[in-house]
């Protein structure tokens, strides 16, 4: 190429980089007037402005599956399904009983805020789905299913030890299974093991440390053609970045590591996730934004992958072949209708809808969809600590979205409440919470507003039908309301700032408990959630 054309090319590339940098600077974190599918063949990040942390993603045929950590919520380890990597629905959970991982996650203990089910991975091998994940106190676990909807096998522990996280399985072309994971309490050393044929045991003598750096975790293993790729993240001076090393032999020596993206603290460090190839051959990175402190949690974005010198650069590559955040693009697969994970529920099914996750493993005999058709019945019992929502069992929850308009309305029947019982609607995220509900002293039911134990009492409720509402927008300021006719609502309590806590974003939930006895119940007719 003549020199003058090289100059022109460099000038054009420089202009493009300047435009991309300017576009990134214009994006204010959290100001997502639009997000997800734009109904015109394009999408805007985040594609899901809600707490879907520690993502991994695979494709099986034309179907995409993603998994996300759930900490102390049950059922655990949520699984989502998509046809286009942009529009997602919750399809199942991998762990039905999280108390099998640790008794501390049961309703009578509730001791694992910030712990529980951390990051993991999903793979498809030998006509089965395989899921592996870690609990930082208990070790690594796995489960399998013939169908993504389940049933999933009871969780099986493959390593009983504290201080491990971010594991991922891999099966080579000869069928040999491997497992990679980080021992974060031992300087973040990344270990590679062979597994037995059933995937249930790590072969100790095969253990080898293949990498170590500050904060090195978020492990994934891939093989593309004849090359093994180890995907991970680590902490550099500017924050957490995505890295990769590669080798012709799975045990190395590895080339690199190569930095795949910048830390981008202004964009809350998009880092942990999975890279996946479409049927057309294009590659994408499904990631969470990993920095803590955002009340909506670690939200989900989709970035294009550009292969440069056989390295998958994430997002917009610059002259250093390092990627940066991309906020919009063409949908990978066209033709799918816009959708978001399930929210509203009329409780007409025989089983609980997939969007619901209990705060800790629920007390099974204390809730029912069958005792009153079309209603969810929550039966009250004593909390572990009086008047502490975070120690009250059987609070049923789902994720809160960070979007321009959110409105949740629940209709309650209070006829079954007993003396000492409290029931209502809550936003929470340990150690903070706020509730609006009803407290019954055996004679009178009164509206109660509670912010982490600071209680304000309101009007007497003389009817058994009660509607409760919460509204919030991009700023995360929630206003609670109540109504006795479902038409006219009265605000009650000061606006509550939704909060991040224990590695989780805000949750919206329904609670009932009784400070005095295991008696009384709350009937829930419907839960509607409007989100824009």
């Amino acid at each position: 190429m003549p020199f003058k054309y090289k100059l022109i090319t460099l000038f054009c590339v420089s202009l493009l980089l300047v435009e991309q940098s300017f576009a990134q600077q214009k994006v204010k974190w959290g100001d997502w007037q639009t997000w997800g599918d734009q109904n015109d063949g394009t999408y805007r990040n985040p594609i899901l402005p809600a707490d879907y942390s520690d993502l991994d993603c695979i494709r099986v045929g034309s179907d995409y599956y993603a998994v996300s950590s759930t900490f102390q919520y049950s059922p655990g380890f949520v699984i989502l399904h998509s046809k286009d990597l942009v529009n997602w629905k919750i399809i199942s959970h991998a762990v039905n009983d999280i108390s099998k991982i640790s008794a501390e996650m049961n309703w009578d203990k509730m001791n694992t805020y910030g712990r529980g089910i951390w990051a993991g991975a999903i793979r498809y091998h030998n006509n089965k789905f395989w899921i592996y994940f870690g609990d930082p106190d208990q070790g690594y676990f796995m489960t399998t299913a013939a169908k993504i909807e389940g049933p999933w096998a009871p969780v099986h522990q493959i390593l009983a030890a504290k201080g491990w996280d971010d594991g991922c399985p891999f099966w080579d072309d000869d069928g040999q299974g491997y497992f990679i994971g980080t021992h974060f309490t031992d300087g973040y050393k990344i270990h590679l093991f062979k597994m037995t044929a059933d995937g249930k045991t790590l072969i100790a003598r095969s253990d080898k440390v293949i990498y170590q750096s500050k904060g090195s975790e978020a492990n994934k293993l891939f093989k593309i053609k004849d090359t093994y790729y180890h995907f991970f993240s680590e902490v550099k001076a500017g924050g957490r970045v995505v890295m990769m090393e590669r080798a012709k032999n799975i045990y190395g020596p590895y080339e690199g590591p190569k930095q795949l993206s910048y830390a981008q603290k202004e964009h809350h460090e998009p880092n942990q996730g999975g890279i996946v190839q479409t049927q057309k051959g294009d590659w994408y990175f499904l990631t969470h934004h990993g920095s803590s402190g955002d009340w909506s949690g670690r939200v989900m974005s989709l970035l294009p992958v550009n292969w440069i010198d056989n390295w998958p650069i994430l997002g917009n590559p610059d002259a250093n072949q390092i990627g940066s955040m991309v906020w919009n693009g063409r949908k990978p697969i066209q033709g799918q209708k816009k959708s978001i994970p399930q929210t509203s529920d009329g409780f007409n099914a025989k089983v609980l809808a997939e969007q619901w996750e209990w705060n800790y493993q629920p007390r099974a005999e204390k809730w029912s969809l069958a005792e009153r058709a079309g209603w969810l019945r929550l039966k009250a019992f004593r909390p572990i600590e009086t008047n502490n929502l975070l120690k009250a069992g059987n609070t049923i929850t789902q994720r809160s979205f960070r979007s321009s308009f959110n409105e949740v309305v629940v209709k309650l029947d209070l006829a079954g409440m007993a003396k000492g019982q409290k029931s209502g609607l809550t936003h929470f995220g340990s150690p903070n919470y706020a509730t609006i509900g009803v407290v019954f002293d055996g004679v009178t039911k009164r509206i109660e507003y509670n912010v982490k134990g600071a209680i304000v009492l309101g009007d007497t409720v003389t009817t058994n039908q009660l509607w409760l509402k919460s509204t919030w927008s991009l700023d995360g300021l929630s206003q609670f309301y109540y109504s006795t006719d479902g038409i006219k609502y009265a605000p009650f309590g000061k606006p509550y700032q939704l909060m991040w806590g224990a590695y989780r974003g805000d949750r919206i939930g329904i609670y009932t408990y009784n400070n005095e006895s295991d008696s009384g119940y709350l009937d829930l007719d419907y839960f509607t959630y409007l989100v824009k």
Side-chain angles (χ1 to χ4, degrees):
M1 180 185 294
F3 182 71
K4 67 177 181 179
Y5 293 118
K6 289 184 179 179
L7 287 176
I8 293 171
T9 301
L10 287 172
F11 177 72
C12 292
V13 170
S14 298
L15 280 179
L16 177 61
L17 292 175
V18 169
E19 289 176 0
Q20 291 174 351
S21 176
F22 179 69
Q24 292 162 16
Q25 291 172 5
K26 289 193 300 183
V27 175
K28 181 181 178 182
W29 179 260
D31 187 22
W32 303 313
Q33 300 296 329
T34 61
W35 49 273
D37 195 330
Q38 299 297 291
N39 287 319
D40 61 0
T42 69
Y43 71 92
R44 292 187 64 85
N45 282 320
I47 54 173
L48 274 181
D51 195 5
Y52 288 95
S53 55
D54 301 319
L55 290 160
D56 188 31
C57 182
I58 61 169
R59 177 178 61 84
V60 180
S62 61
D63 296 288
Y64 297 90
Y65 302 104
V67 294
S68 171
S69 58
T70 49
F71 289 66
Q72 84 281 356
Y73 292 100
S74 181
F77 213 64
V78 65
I79 307 170
L80 300 100
H81 170 254
S82 176
K83 282 288 189 178
D84 61 5
L85 286 169
V86 172
N87 297 289
W88 294 89
K89 289 288 188 181
I90 301 171
I91 196 167
S92 60
H93 290 76
V95 186
N96 186 54
D97 187 348
I98 62 172
S99 69
K100 301 301 182 184
I101 298 170
S102 169
E104 300 301 306
M105 287 192 274
N106 203 35
W107 61 268
D108 58 352
K109 294 287 195 298
M110 302 179 72
N111 282 329
T112 60
Y113 286 107
R115 317 299 282 176
I117 296 179
W118 281 15
I122 182 171
R123 292 293 180 264
Y124 189 71
H125 169 68
N126 275 355
N127 299 314
K128 286 199 302 186
F129 292 95
W130 303 70
I131 278 176
Y132 289 71
F133 61 87
D135 176 306
D137 295 325
Q138 305 300 322
Y140 290 123
F141 296 82
M142 58 83 66
T143 179
T144 62
K147 296 181 179 179
I148 196 71
E149 300 88 352
W152 287 85
V155 290
H156 173 80
Q157 191 168 31
I158 65 168
L159 178 67
K162 292 185 67 171
W164 294 76
D165 71 356
D166 295 10
C168 179
F170 168 78
W171 283 269
D172 212 339
D173 298 334
D174 61 1
Q176 175 62 56
Y178 296 85
F179 182 82
I180 191 169
T182 290
H183 194 181
F184 66 85
T185 56
D186 186 25
Y188 285 87
K189 292 175 182 175
I190 297 176
H191 293 248
L192 179 65
F193 300 86
K194 284 185 177 180
M195 295 192 296
T196 54
D198 60 5
K200 292 184 175 182
T201 303
L202 304 183
I203 301 173
R205 65 179 180 276
S206 69
D207 178 19
K208 181 181 180 180
V209 175
I210 65 168
Y211 192 78
Q212 180 185 17
S213 65
K214 183 179 180 181
S216 51
E217 55 185 11
N219 303 288
K220 301 292 186 298
L221 271 178
F222 306 94
K223 187 177 184 181
I224 302 172
K225 296 181 180 179
D226 64 345
T227 303
Y228 299 89
Y229 289 88
H230 171 213
F231 175 105
F232 60 99
S233 72
E234 67 183 27
V235 178
K236 291 186 177 293
R240 183 167 287 278
V241 303
V242 181
M243 306 290 293
M244 181 172 274
E245 56 180 358
R246 64 190 182 192
K248 295 298 183 180
N249 183 291
I250 194 167
Y251 278 107
Y254 277 88
E255 175 190 358
K258 164 68 177 170
Q259 186 172 336
L260 304 184
S261 69
Y262 290 105
Q264 305 167 93
K265 282 193 172 182
E266 71 276 20
H267 302 320
H268 284 223
E269 298 178 352
N271 63 81
Q272 186 149 339
I275 60 172
V276 62
Q277 187 178 30
T278 68
Q279 286 183 295
K280 294 189 300 181
D282 300 322
W283 288 81
Y284 288 86
F285 177 46
L286 189 73
T287 181
H288 78 194
H289 294 259
S291 298
S292 63
D294 192 309
W295 65 262
S296 57
R298 290 175 282 179
V299 301
M300 181 193 296
S301 284
L302 183 69
L303 279 65
V305 172
N306 299 278
W307 285 88
I308 301 175
D309 293 336
N310 293 318
W311 295 106
I313 309 304
L314 310 178
N316 280 328
D318 65 5
N320 297 316
Q321 298 183 3
I322 300 175
S324 56
M325 184 64 195
V326 173
W327 287 99
N328 54 68
R330 295 282 299 172
K331 289 169 56 179
I333 296 93
Q334 298 293 319
Q336 300 298 318
K337 293 182 179 180
K338 182 174 182 176
S339 65
I340 65 171
Q342 305 92 307
T343 54
S344 300
D345 194 357
F347 302 107
N348 295 308
K350 293 182 179 179
V351 296
L352 198 60
E354 291 291 350
Q355 64 264 35
W356 294 109
E357 294 169 355
W358 303 92
N359 187 30
Y360 291 95
Q361 187 64 25
R363 189 173 176 182
E365 75 276 12
K366 290 294 185 177
W367 69 276
S368 174
L369 287 166
E371 291 186 17
R372 184 177 181 183
W375 296 69
L376 171 63
R377 176 163 292 179
L378 300 177
K379 301 178 183 180
F381 55 96
R382 291 183 182 90
I384 297 170
E385 295 178 7
T386 300
N387 282 326
N388 185 351
L389 178 76
L390 301 180
K391 287 290 188 175
N394 285 29
T395 298
I396 188 168
T397 82
Q398 58 177 269
R399 292 160 182 82
S400 301
F401 282 75
R402 182 170 189 165
S403 60
S404 59
F405 177 79
N406 296 266
E407 180 186 86
V408 164
V409 176
V410 294
K411 180 186 175 184
L412 310 177
D413 187 336
L414 311 176
M417 287 185 69
K419 182 177 182 291
Q421 188 176 349
K422 298 189 175 192
S423 305
L425 181 67
T426 179
H427 283 283
F428 78 97
S430 176
N432 300 293
Y433 64 87
T435 70
I436 185 172
V438 172
V439 57
F440 185 38
D441 64 7
V443 177
T444 303
K445 298 184 179 81
R446 294 186 68 182
I447 297 293
E448 180 186 81
Y449 177 62
N450 180 353
V451 178
K452 200 179 177 182
I455 294 173
V456 177
L457 291 175
D459 292 341
T460 298
V461 178
T462 58
T463 65
N464 285 325
Q465 305 298 303
L466 183 70
W467 288 257
L468 301 175
K469 179 165 70 172
S470 171
T471 62
W472 69 97
S473 59
L474 290 165
D475 59 9
L477 281 176
S478 164
Q479 178 63 61
F480 286 120
Y481 303 80
Y482 70 96
S483 171
T484 56
D485 60 10
I487 300 172
K488 184 179 180 180
Y489 285 85
F492 191 68
K494 295 179 180 180
Y496 173 72
Q497 176 61 61
L498 308 185
M499 296 188 189
W500 159 275
Y503 296 108
R504 308 307 296 162
D506 176 74
R507 289 276 175 139
I508 185 80
I510 302 112
Y511 68 92
T512 193
Y513 61 90
N514 193 322
N515 285 318
E516 299 181 15
S517 65
D518 289 6
S519 61
Y521 61 85
L522 172 71
D523 282 344
L524 176 60
D525 189 7
Y526 59 77
F527 173 101
T528 62
Y529 188 161
L530 301 178
V531 56
K532 294 181 182 178

